[in-house]
């Protein structure tokens, strides 16, 4: 099964006026969702930039259905009534936990619903009521790109069992600049950092892991990502992809201080 990195945005992504289905973002995300459905996976494991566990420990959910998490603030009331129908799979949750325990990585199984970094983008992609279960795994609460690549590497074997791995973050994510100015022009760091990601991801397969690790040395890293939790799902995806999976850029769109780039690894 392929691995995906998707950029998820906020709950207003579900506004078909602001993000029309025929627009580049809506169309690109729906193409990803249609592609995943056509694959007929046995399940999905998603990590998002909105769930961090401990500095060296993880959490996983999916043993029972839980309410969605509306972890966003200041939006119209209608967004807090949105639903995303999906199933979970306790066996898949247990399988994920065992993979990390086998590497002596502490992991806790918890009762937790999907956060908006997972359910909003999956809903926009048309994956509500998908015929496969969806469970969520946390990130680490640290800025170690290497640890998050290793996290993905631990999930890699699931691909041979029919499981799609999805990292959900943002290729560029600077909310301070998004809300702190009336200007709608794309900030000067957005495209250059996006292209640094692209060069690392689409370059030689043998150099991809080192390429994404070298993003830590980018002079514009902290402009593109004042905090790194929305970048780490990319590193998880690269780890799960390994060095034999070709990457394809499925979406490119820039918006003020955000990049919506999405990738498939197969």
């Amino acid at each position: 099964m392929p691995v995906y990195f998707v950029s998820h945005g906020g709950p207003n992504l579900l506004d078909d006026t602001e993000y029309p289905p025929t627009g580049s973002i809506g169309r690109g995300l729906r193409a990803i969702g249609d592609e995943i459905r056509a694959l007929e996976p046995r399940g999905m494991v998603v990590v998002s930039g909105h769930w961090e566990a401990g500095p060296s420990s993880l959490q996983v959910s999916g043993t029972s259905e839980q309410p969605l998490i509306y972890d966003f603030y200041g939006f119209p009331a209608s967004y807090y009534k949105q639903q995303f129908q999906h199933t979970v799979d306790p066996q898949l949750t247990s399988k994920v936990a065992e993979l990390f325990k086998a590497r002596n990585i502490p992991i806790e199984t918890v009762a937790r619903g999907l956060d908006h970094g997972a359910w909003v983008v999956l809903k926009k992609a048309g994956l509500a009521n998908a015929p496969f279960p969806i469970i969520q795994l946390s990130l680490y609460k640290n800025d170690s790109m290497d640890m998050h690549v290793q996290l993905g590497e631990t999930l890699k074997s699931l691909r041979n069992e029919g499981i799609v791995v999805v990292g959900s973050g943002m290729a560029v994510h600077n909310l301070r600049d998004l809300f702190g100015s009336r200007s709608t022009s794309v900030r000067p760091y957005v495209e250059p950092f996006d292209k640094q990601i692209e060069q690392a991801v689409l370059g030689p397969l043998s150099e991809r892991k080192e390429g994404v690790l070298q993003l830590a040395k980018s002079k514009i890293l902290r402009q593109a990502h004042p905090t790194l939790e929305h970048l780490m799902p990319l590193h998880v995806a690269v780890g799960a992809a390994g060095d034999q999976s070709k990457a394809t850029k499925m979406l490119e769109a820039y918006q003020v201080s955000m990049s919506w780039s999405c990738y498939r690894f197969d």
Side-chain angles (χ1 to χ4, degrees):
M1 285 287 161
V3 176
Y4 293 86
F5 170 75
V6 297
S7 291
H8 64 240
N12 52 320
L13 177 64
L14 299 176
D15 186 330
D16 284 344
T17 299
E18 189 171 352
Y19 294 98
T22 55
S24 61
I25 295 170
R27 188 173 65 250
L29 292 174
R30 187 55 186 251
I32 291 172
D34 289 346
E35 185 174 280
I36 291 174
R37 278 186 180 271
L39 291 168
E40 299 184 347
R42 290 185 51 247
M44 174 186 291
V45 176
V46 58
V47 299
S48 102
H50 291 274
W51 189 13
E52 299 173 290
S56 58
S57 62
L58 299 168
Q59 294 178 318
V60 63
S61 68
T63 55
S64 61
E65 294 187 15
Q66 299 290 327
L68 298 177
I69 299 175
Y70 300 91
D71 50 339
F72 44 83
Y73 309 95
F75 287 89
S78 60
Y79 289 119
Y80 301 90
K81 299 176 182 179
Q82 289 278 347
Q83 294 296 315
F84 176 70
Q85 293 77 19
H86 68 287
T87 60
V88 296
D89 183 355
Q91 291 185 333
L92 178 55
T93 300
S94 296
K95 174 67 174 179
V96 169
E98 289 303 318
L99 289 174
F100 288 95
K101 290 176 182 177
R103 293 194 174 195
N104 295 315
I105 297 171
I107 185 167
E108 177 187 12
T109 300
V110 298
R112 183 186 189 275
L114 298 178
D115 58 58
H116 89 266
W119 68 263
V120 167
V121 69
L122 295 180
K123 184 170 185 174
K124 190 69 172 185
L127 291 174
N129 293 305
F132 52 82
I134 300 171
I135 71 165
Q136 188 169 355
L137 173 68
S138 75
L139 300 171
Y140 293 110
K141 192 174 181 61
N142 68 41
D143 289 345
S144 171
M145 295 182 181
D146 187 54
M147 286 182 68
H148 285 92
V149 171
Q150 291 180 46
L151 188 162
E153 290 172 345
T154 303
L155 298 174
K156 182 180 176 182
S157 64
L158 294 175
R159 300 174 60 194
N160 295 326
E161 300 179 31
I163 306 301
V164 172
V165 177
V166 177
S168 177
M170 290 292 290
V172 176
H173 182 259
N174 187 324
L175 293 181
R176 178 187 59 208
D177 284 355
L178 181 66
F179 297 121
S181 172
R182 294 182 180 180
S183 173
T184 58
S185 62
V186 175
R187 298 299 182 265
Y189 54 80
V190 173
E191 183 174 0
F193 191 78
D194 187 76
K195 293 304 180 183
Q196 289 178 14
I197 292 175
E198 180 182 300
Q199 182 177 3
V201 170
L202 300 185
L205 299 184
S206 62
E207 299 175 12
R208 183 163 58 206
K209 177 178 176 179
E210 185 59 26
V212 296
L213 294 178
Q214 287 299 311
L215 293 172
K217 299 180 180 179
S218 170
K219 293 180 180 180
I220 54 175
L221 170 63
R222 291 297 180 169
Q223 291 178 280
H225 289 274
T227 58
L228 300 188
E229 75 285 337
H230 278 71
L231 182 60
M232 292 306 178
L234 172 71
H235 291 76
V236 174
V238 167
D243 60 4
Q244 300 297 316
S245 295
K246 179 183 176 183
T248 302
K249 194 172 192 180
M250 299 192 70
L251 170 61
E252 178 181 290
Y254 305 139
Q255 182 182 28
V256 189
S257 58
M258 316 287 269
S259 165
W260 289 84
S261 291
C262 299
Y263 293 90
R264 179 185 70 236
F265 304 85
D266 53 9

